[in-house]
Amino acid sequence: MSDWEEEYNEDSVDIQKPAKKSAPTEWKLPHDDRRRGNVCFGVRNENRFGAPREWRADRSAGGSEYRSRRGGGEGRPCPWGTDRGDAGRRTYGDEKSDCSPPVTITVENASVGRIIGRGGAKIRELEESTGARIKINKGDYEGEVVIFGSSAAQQKAKEMIEDLVADGSYRFRNGMKGGQHGGGGVGGGYRNGGDVGVRSDSVWGAAELQAGNAVPARISIDWNTIRENKDKYEELKWKDLPPMKKKFYTEAESVSMLTAEEVSEWRKENNNIFVDDLKEGEKRHIPNPCRTFMEAFEPYAEIMENIEQVGFVKPTPIQSQAWPVMLSGEDLIAIAQTGTGKTLAYLLPGFIHMDGQPVPRAERGGPGMLVLTPTRELALQIETECKKYRYKGYKSICIYGGGDRRGQINLVKGGVDIVIATPGRLNDLQMNELINLRSITYLVLDEADRMLDMGFEPQIMKILLDIRPDRQTVMTSATWPTGVRRLSKSYLKNPMMVYVGTLDLAAVNTVQQTVLIVHEEEKKSYVFDFIRNMQPQDKVLIFVGKKLVADDLSSDLCLQGLAVQSLHGDREQCDREEALKDFKNSRVRILVATDLASRGLDVHDITHVFNYDFPRNIEEYVHRVGRTGRAGRTGAAVTLVTRENWRMASELIPILERAGQEVPEELVLMAERYEKHKSEKEMYNSGRGGGGGGGGWGRRDGGGRGGSARGPKCGF
Ligand code: AMP
């Protein structure tokens, strides 16, 4: 039985599994060889490299050895015995006088199979073509290829093995032991460096690799410890936080005295306010609403002065219910349409919260309130709203992408109390350690649904890592989709939820909505016609789907001598700000905009919204329409619907119905046709999916042989 047969089964799988050991080989003095006297010891034949070694792995200690059974040719015995059996008897071809110390190359185990080949074929081929003898010792992770023979044969074999292993992207560790080129003393070999190759496409199968212990043991991850460490790290991170106060509410007597029936009646009459406690387990008392400013802010004279100054008569429904919750220190989710007064709903309690902190403002070391909001326009608008009120001289700044970064940094450095920011720019300042977020105790996630739509979740997550976890958090959103629910679960603690109206999408009912079914090519004449009929006090926001259309339409209108502005993401920030300013102060009464302006844009006197292009989704329709009919006014919306928008028809109908608007017959027909088309398409697809050979649904043109000649017809 050959050596190969001893050590491999038919598939070259190493039968003798090496024991665990990291060092591939243990080198020992070959005492037997000394006794045989065939070694090059002694003064004249002294081995200048020191004592020869037995190039064999010690099996008891682990590792395994693979060696070719082929011998060399006739000639002078070689002192570098290749195994116990034939050490000293081997000769190496014609190079009689040249029997060099063995050369060792270290390769990773995954490469060993390549050198051996199936059933040892490759190693035999190598030996035949080079005249060298090759022995392989496999360890746990690496193997050693030991090459015996004349230096020429060794060199040739070494090169061939390197080529074999280094093939393609292979990296390779080339080590020499026994020192072909010098070095002395026992074990006087040297490694000439390199690194261990990493390759997964070994010629060895999984079983072989496993048998050869070529694959390192799977590292199991101790998640419990990781979690524990994370908690410990968190504890450590927030260890030295200064104290914080959240409760600032004293319920007025007139509020306490309200009966449950009175409260429920009041909520119903005020846009059907609904309040819920989202805390799991035992529910808390939900504060009664404050029906007047005095009921909410009596102890805060400066707030009351501000309200008197702006001239508001009474709190909006969301404010009435949100203020007692927020002043009580609870986290809050406010689901409210734009224009309902939600900005003031979170700003005023924020002022009181900051002022009531035990750490004096001068020692805070950073802002106390952060409002995260999706767009620059919204950020600027919140800042404007914020600046309307003066409270304790608080300073606010706006941080948004596209704005003057250096200027924003300087403002932060100058010391601010309130930061109103878009997530991207704030995250940029945070990563560059240009802003301290640890001082923030009052956080607002404004228009959370929009922030998620715009893909800001990663930035929000990073920002919140640096804000103390025991802060007070308020989140506003116009809608309540799954993403927003998930966000609220992660970042709010036992919040209360206040929503105005139903949680279904509902366009404001102060807006008269007209839907016109038109052809794409008619759209321009409709909009021109509309503009021709505008009254001097009218102000229209025209929504288009693409930036290009915004430019195109606004220049068409300009060419007609109309004063018009456009607003879209490709315009410079200063141009965007100017466009908005012109529209706000009525220098222009026509603004052509993309959905950049669909949310949050607060221009009180927009009389009309004109949907030139139908929005991407029905939520956006609701937001667009909400740009008019604000702050107690009425408004009108005109929406052009083309056949391309037919899939939206069935979603638009309930919105119109709920707001008590007329639903055009054509829109209903469009919705029906689309539903029909959809079900036919589904049937068609399921027919195809069944692989039903020759069925009538099998061909688009409806001409399938052997089945019904009816193909699915386009419904529109
Ligand atoms: P918002 O929903 O925050 O975009 O608010 C829309 C507009 O309503 C803003 O211009 C506010 O100044 C205004 N507003 C806020 N609260 C009231 C209120 N109680 N009465 C009348 N207007 C208000």
Side-chain angles (χ1 to χ4, degrees):
M1 201 187 216
S2 76
D3 290 344
W4 288 112
E5 283 158 345
E6 275 164 34
E7 292 170 358
Y8 290 99
N9 65 14
E10 277 176 24
D11 299 321
S12 313
V13 176
D14 178 12
I15 301 163
Q16 302 177 45
K17 287 186 188 167
K20 288 251 183 293
K21 185 178 175 249
S22 53
T25 312
E26 187 176 297
W27 313 107
K28 289 197 296 185
L29 279 167
H31 303 291
D32 303 358
D33 292 343
R34 258 182 212 271
R35 277 200 302 275
R36 275 189 212 113
N38 289 330
V39 290
C40 308
F41 287 146
V43 178
R44 285 185 64 82
N45 292 333
E46 187 179 23
N47 170 21
R48 57 195 172 109
F49 306 110
R53 301 165 181 280
E54 178 178 317
W55 301 97
R56 183 183 185 105
D58 179 356
R59 290 199 186 279
S60 62
S64 57
E65 170 194 293
Y66 308 99
R67 61 197 186 277
S68 165
R69 70 188 179 99
R70 297 171 72 85
E74 292 303 313
R76 192 174 66 82
C78 176
W80 316 103
T82 57
D83 61 33
R84 264 191 293 264
D86 63 3
R89 293 196 299 276
R90 301 263 180 214
T91 56
Y92 290 88
D94 302 330
E95 296 164 76
K96 293 186 169 67
S97 58
D98 186 9
C99 182
S100 300
V103 169
T104 302
I105 302 168
T106 309
V107 295
E108 65 170 71
N109 275 347
S111 314
V112 168
R114 289 185 147 237
I115 302 164
I116 294 168
R118 279 232 171 255
K122 194 75 209 171
I123 203 167
R124 279 197 290 276
E125 191 192 310
L126 282 166
E127 286 184 332
E128 264 165 14
S129 57
T130 61
R133 282 262 299 141
I134 298 164
K135 197 164 74 160
I136 295 171
N137 301 313
K138 271 185 88 189
D140 279 355
Y141 304 110
E142 293 174 5
E144 284 183 325
V145 182
V146 189
I147 309 168
F148 298 87
S150 68
S151 57
Q154 283 176 335
Q155 188 57 30
K156 203 170 165 193
K158 181 174 166 279
E159 277 166 15
M160 285 180 79
I161 290 167
E162 283 175 356
D163 279 352
L164 192 68
V165 178
D167 160 48
S169 61
Y170 232 91
R171 288 184 301 136
F172 180 76
R173 177 144 110 194
N174 177 8
M176 288 189 179
K177 282 202 172 98
Q180 193 180 18
H181 308 294
V186 176
Y190 63 90
R191 276 178 178 260
N192 59 354
D195 49 10
V196 180
V198 179
R199 188 173 173 131
S200 56
D201 58 342
S202 165
V203 290
W204 286 22
E208 290 159 316
L209 289 170
Q210 210 180 358
N213 223 1
V215 180
R218 260 182 76 174
I219 300 160
S220 70
I221 299 167
D222 184 353
W223 289 108
N224 283 339
T225 312
I226 288 172
R227 258 180 234 116
E228 267 170 35
N229 287 344
K230 183 182 165 270
D231 291 346
K232 273 186 206 152
Y233 168 74
E234 279 288 303
E235 229 178 274
L236 219 66
K237 184 175 172 186
W238 301 113
K239 197 168 63 118
D240 298 320
L241 279 179
M244 192 182 65
K245 197 179 160 194
K246 290 199 215 172
K247 293 190 193 305
F248 302 99
Y249 187 52
T250 318
E251 196 172 60
E253 217 181 302
S254 53
V255 175
S256 313
M257 282 169 61
L258 288 170
T259 63
E261 289 73 37
E262 282 170 327
V263 168
S264 115
E265 188 62 24
W266 186 90
R267 284 180 182 148
K268 211 164 162 192
E269 280 168 8
N270 282 270
N271 284 31
N272 208 11
I273 290 181
F274 186 86
V275 201
D276 202 3
D277 179 8
L278 300 190
K279 182 174 178 245
E280 278 168 23
E282 204 182 321
K283 300 289 174 194
R284 295 160 295 185
H285 165 70
I286 293 171
N288 290 347
C290 298
R291 295 154 304 164
T292 64
F293 290 112
M294 203 58 161
E295 283 180 341
F297 301 113
E298 194 181 3
Y300 306 100
E302 209 176 328
I303 296 272
M304 286 309 296
E305 276 166 32
N306 272 292
I307 289 167
E308 270 160 36
Q309 241 170 31
V310 288
F312 295 154
V313 181
K314 63 172 187 147
T316 63
I318 187 84
Q319 291 166 354
S320 297
Q321 192 57 76
W323 281 335
V325 174
M326 280 187 253
L327 289 169
S328 302
E330 306 298 347
D331 282 5
L332 179 87
I333 300 165
I335 306 289
Q337 292 166 32
T338 47
T340 54
K342 62 186 170 61
T343 313
L344 197 63
Y346 61 71
L347 277 183
L348 296 185
F351 292 155
I352 294 167
H353 170 100
M354 274 196 297
D355 185 43
Q357 292 313 304
V359 179
R361 186 180 174 197
E363 291 168 27
R364 209 175 42 211
M369 187 200 304
L370 169 68
V371 182
L372 277 180
T373 190
T375 63
R376 311 165 201 188
E377 278 71 21
L378 212 48
L380 289 166
Q381 192 173 289
I382 295 166
E383 195 196 20
T384 310
E385 186 75 1
C386 198
K387 288 203 158 117
K388 280 188 201 164
Y389 310 93
R390 268 170 231 277
Y391 197 73
K392 311 284 173 190
Y394 285 150
K395 272 206 304 192
S396 59
I397 61 152
C398 209
I399 291 179
Y400 52 86
D404 169 15
R405 188 173 181 271
R406 191 177 288 273
Q408 291 171 4
I409 293 166
N410 288 340
L411 281 173
V412 172
K413 282 185 181 159
V416 288
D417 303 285
I418 303 160
V419 171
I420 301 148
T422 52
R425 175 57 61 89
L426 184 67
N427 186 220
D428 159 24
L429 299 196
Q430 174 196 22
M431 300 307 273
N432 289 293
E433 298 185 5
L434 295 165
I435 189 164
N436 170 26
L437 301 177
R438 280 176 75 93
S439 54
I440 290 160
T441 53
Y442 190 86
L443 170 74
V444 181
L445 302 171
D446 191 43
E447 303 245 359
D449 51 349
R450 185 78 194 268
M451 286 202 277
L452 292 186
D453 282 356
M454 290 174 73
F456 280 134
E457 196 169 355
Q459 285 92 340
I460 296 173
M461 278 167 68
K462 282 187 215 156
I463 290 165
L464 297 200
L465 282 177
D466 280 354
I467 304 180
R468 54 190 288 171
D470 58 346
R471 63 182 180 252
Q472 182 170 8
T473 311
V474 182
M475 187 171 93
T476 81
S477 182
T479 53
W480 187 231
T482 328
V484 179
R485 285 174 220 199
R486 186 171 32 81
L487 200 71
S488 70
K489 272 204 156 188
S490 308
Y491 300 115
L492 277 78
K493 284 208 178 94
N494 298 326
M496 292 214 178
M497 178 194 240
V498 176
Y499 51 85
V500 181
T502 63
L503 271 182
D504 301 332
L505 272 178
V508 275
N509 46 20
T510 50
V511 181
Q512 190 209 327
Q513 299 166 59
T514 306
V515 173
L516 301 171
I517 314 291
V518 301
H519 290 287
E520 186 63 39
E521 57 277 12
E522 294 172 332
K523 280 160 80 167
K524 264 196 184 152
S525 54
Y526 269 94
V527 77
F528 289 150
D529 207 36
F530 173 87
I531 289 167
R532 258 195 303 277
N533 288 312
M534 270 173 77
Q535 300 299 307
Q537 70 280 7
D538 285 351
K539 196 180 251 190
V540 63
L541 177 53
I542 302 172
F543 280 108
V544 295
K546 293 181 177 152
K547 300 166 195 167
L548 214 66
V549 181
D551 283 339
D552 179 43
L553 190 59
S554 55
S555 51
D556 274 3
L557 293 170
C558 258
L559 287 171
Q560 301 217 356
L562 295 160
V564 60
Q565 266 287 15
S566 72
L567 185 67
H568 60 72
D570 274 359
R571 295 202 73 187
E572 292 289 324
Q573 183 58 26
C574 55
D575 295 334
R576 282 161 65 169
E577 283 172 28
E578 192 179 288
L580 209 51
K581 204 166 125 204
D582 284 352
F583 191 54
K584 272 188 175 170
N585 63 25
S586 301
R587 259 174 53 98
V588 299
R589 293 194 156 268
I590 304 167
L591 178 67
V592 182
T594 58
D595 276 325
L596 190 74
S598 75
R599 300 200 194 188
L601 189 77
D602 182 31
V603 181
H604 285 180
D605 54 350
I606 297 174
T607 54
H608 293 82
V609 162
F610 193 103
N611 287 317
Y612 181 85
D613 291 322
F614 199 84
R616 281 180 313 245
N617 56 52
I618 208 69
E619 283 88 355
E620 223 54 56
Y621 173 83
V622 174
H623 289 298
R624 285 181 178 187
V625 168
R627 297 306 92 217
T628 179
R630 292 165 73 78
R633 292 179 170 85
T634 54
V638 178
T639 302
L640 304 184
V641 175
T642 65
R643 56 193 297 162
E644 281 75 35
N645 311 129
W646 69 331
R647 63 173 53 80
M648 303 305 300
S650 58
E651 292 184 52
L652 179 57
I653 291 168
I655 302 276
L656 295 173
E657 281 173 344
R658 239 181 284 141
Q661 304 295 312
E662 194 183 320
V663 180
E665 186 61 28
E666 270 181 290
L667 190 70
V668 178
L669 289 173
M670 192 187 248
E672 283 172 3
R673 280 196 296 264
Y674 179 68
E675 287 310 315
K676 191 165 167 245
H677 161 76
K678 214 168 72 178
S679 54
E680 281 179 351
K681 202 170 154 196
E682 272 162 22
M683 276 172 70
Y684 170 71
N685 285 339
S686 62
R688 269 203 329 182
W697 300 110
R699 281 178 57 179
R700 269 193 175 277
D701 58 10
R705 285 208 313 155
S708 161
R710 277 176 288 112
K713 272 195 234 149
C714 180
F716 193 77

